[in-house]
Amino acid sequence: MTELLWNEQKCLTLMDQPFFELIHEAYTVHKQNFKVGDMEFCTLASIKTGACPEDCAYCPQSAHYNTGLKKEKLMDIDSVITAASNAKQNGATRFCMGAAWRSPPKKDLPRVAAMIRAVKDLGLESCVTLGLLEADDAVALKEAGLDFYNHNLDSSAEFYSTIIQTRTYEDRLNTLKQVMAAGIKVCSGGILGMGETRIDRIRMLLTLYELPISPKSIPINQLIPIPGTPLAKAPPLDPFELIRTIAVTRILFPEARIRLSAGRENMVDETQAWCFMAGANSLFIGDTLLTAKNPRLEHDRILLQKLNMQLPEVCNAKS
Ligand code: SAM
Ligand code: DTB
Ligand code: SF4
């Protein structure tokens, strides 16, 4: 087996560098792999909302916490087509569907497969996040034409058990294994700002780095503190820690799309700009993520324009 380039000590040294040295290194790697100003635009839809049996301490959709969220049953196909068509019209090239499940019920998989086919028929890339998968579920999703499966490690193995008790880190890794075995691309990352340390962040990235197939899509979420959840009062994340983590992610995964995901609504424009320089090149556009607020499209357009970056291309064609 060839020795991997990065280990914990090297990552720590990398991340501890003077801020501008780290950003310079990350931007150099970024420019070697992507065009200046390049950005990917994705839109999310919550296809099944709330009443989730899992106890993820950050999540508004967990049935364990009273967050006042209105639960909704599995969406019908026509509503998904309408949402995906609107997303395409607003410039998204990828449509991500999320469900508040521990794992997808077998009876609902045919409808999810039909949703994936409909999204593909519109000429969009497809992504779903449905919780834990068994091997045959992954094969069924692949057969429906699924491009990406989002399943976040969220943090290090050590920190994970302090935020989730209803499943293990191993369960999470096993799902990634099934996704890779079925030939679906892995989208996996984490959340920052849950009280984890810099070492936890590095360990999470190294776990992704050690996967047999390097993830091509890595969401970095900043915790959105949700009233009613155990993390409602988590101390805010230092923006420089977010920017440094993105820089390290870029250096470890030179070719991946790094998705500056949840939390932009609570971020000033200057922090987002630094994140783009450090290597973030994928955004969710649209007023809501799954259930939480996201910046308005017009705000994103103005910011990207100020930075001379790629804008979401308004598209009127059906497919
Ligand atoms: N139930 C599925 C699962 O957990 O894999 C899919 C949906 S879940 C909402 C998708 C991801 O959203 C989580 O893994 C987590 O990273 C992110 N997320 C959920 N609540 C969040 C919050 N309050 N702040 C930031 N990210 C959050
Ligand atoms: C990911 O890592 N972030 C997105 C997507 N994958 C599914 C979801 C963020 C959810 C934020 C809380 C909410 O909207 O409910
Ligand atoms: Fe359920 Fe996913 Fe939320 Fe956890 S993160 S409570 S699994 S919807």
Side-chain angles (χ1 to χ4, degrees):
M1 212 177 110
T2 49
E3 207 180 312
L4 293 169
L5 187 61
W6 293 102
N7 59 30
E8 201 169 301
Q9 192 47 55
K10 283 185 185 168
C11 287
L12 266 177
T13 309
L14 178 72
M15 198 158 172
D16 279 346
Q17 281 185 92
F19 182 74
F20 294 119
E21 292 295 311
L22 174 60
I23 303 305
H24 180 261
E25 189 172 336
Y27 191 58
T28 305
V29 172
H30 192 63
K31 280 219 310 188
Q32 283 161 358
N33 291 280
F34 294 94
K35 286 193 192 130
V36 172
D38 168 275
M39 189 57 79
E40 175 194 67
F41 300 103
C42 319
T43 290
L44 275 164
S46 180
I47 56 168
K48 186 267 166 186
T49 307
C52 183
E54 302 289 282
D55 69 352
C56 313
Y58 46 76
C59 188
Q61 304 203 62
S62 167
H64 295 254
Y65 318 120
N66 187 1
T67 62
L69 185 72
K70 190 170 161 273
K71 18 180 200 189
E72 280 164 39
K73 292 206 173 112
L74 185 60
M75 237 187 206
D76 59 64
I77 312 270
D78 286 346
S79 307
V80 170
I81 295 175
T82 305
S85 307
N86 288 339
K88 181 172 177 176
Q89 199 170 351
N90 286 331
T93 56
R94 183 158 149 193
F95 192 67
C96 308
M97 295 173 275
W101 283 325
R102 172 177 167 82
S103 55
K106 299 279 179 210
K107 68 170 176 45
D108 289 329
L109 267 181
R111 203 195 295 178
V112 175
M115 291 175 184
I116 294 168
R117 278 188 223 102
V119 167
K120 294 295 293 176
D121 286 348
L122 287 167
L124 291 162
E125 277 194 309
S126 58
C127 177
V128 294
T129 177
L130 313 172
L132 302 170
L133 284 191
E134 289 173 9
D136 56 336
D137 302 332
V139 170
L141 295 173
K142 173 70 183 173
E143 279 169 1
L146 183 66
D147 296 301
F148 291 89
Y149 195 83
N150 170 237
H151 199 67
N152 293 336
L153 291 182
D154 281 335
S155 194
S156 67
E158 294 76 9
F159 190 74
Y160 195 79
S161 56
T162 69
I163 49 164
I164 300 164
Q165 267 82 52
T166 49
R167 57 166 192 260
T168 64
Y169 209 65
E170 272 309 307
D171 292 333
R172 221 57 185 166
L173 285 169
N174 186 50
T175 289
L176 294 185
K177 205 167 118 192
Q178 306 308 343
V179 169
M180 287 184 278
I184 301 166
K185 286 176 266 189
V186 165
C187 172
S188 187
I191 311 183
L192 312 189
M194 299 186 291
E196 76 289 344
T197 62
R198 186 178 279 189
I199 294 183
D200 289 312
R201 293 175 201 123
I202 285 175
R203 286 186 180 160
M204 175 190 82
L205 292 176
L206 279 173
T207 309
L208 292 173
Y209 178 74
E210 285 159 11
L211 292 176
I213 304 172
S214 185
K216 296 283 177 293
S217 177
I218 306 181
I220 301 292
N221 297 279
Q222 172 175 285
L223 176 75
I224 303 175
I226 309 282
T229 63
L231 291 176
K233 299 236 157 50
L237 178 71
D238 178 348
F240 290 107
E241 201 56 29
L242 168 71
I243 300 161
R244 280 183 190 267
T245 306
I246 288 179
V248 172
T249 310
R250 171 51 69 221
I251 294 165
L252 263 62
F253 303 92
E255 294 175 6
R257 283 279 166 194
I258 301 177
R259 322 179 75 185
L260 183 59
S261 300
R264 293 198 299 119
E265 179 72 353
N266 298 334
M267 250 173 243
V268 298
D269 288 350
E270 292 82 349
T271 299
Q272 294 192 55
W274 276 109
C275 289
F276 302 152
M277 177 146 187
N281 59 354
S282 177
L283 293 178
F284 286 117
I285 52 167
D287 298 352
T288 35
L289 293 158
L290 288 172
T291 69
K293 269 188 165 175
N294 197 42
R296 294 180 56 77
L297 185 56
E298 198 43 34
H299 185 102
D300 282 340
R301 293 186 71 88
I302 293 168
L303 172 60
L304 292 166
Q305 209 153 22
K306 278 187 201 166
L307 300 173
N308 308 86
M309 297 190 72
Q310 188 182 326
L311 299 180
E313 213 172 294
V314 178
C315 159
N316 288 313
K318 271 270 170 227
S319 65

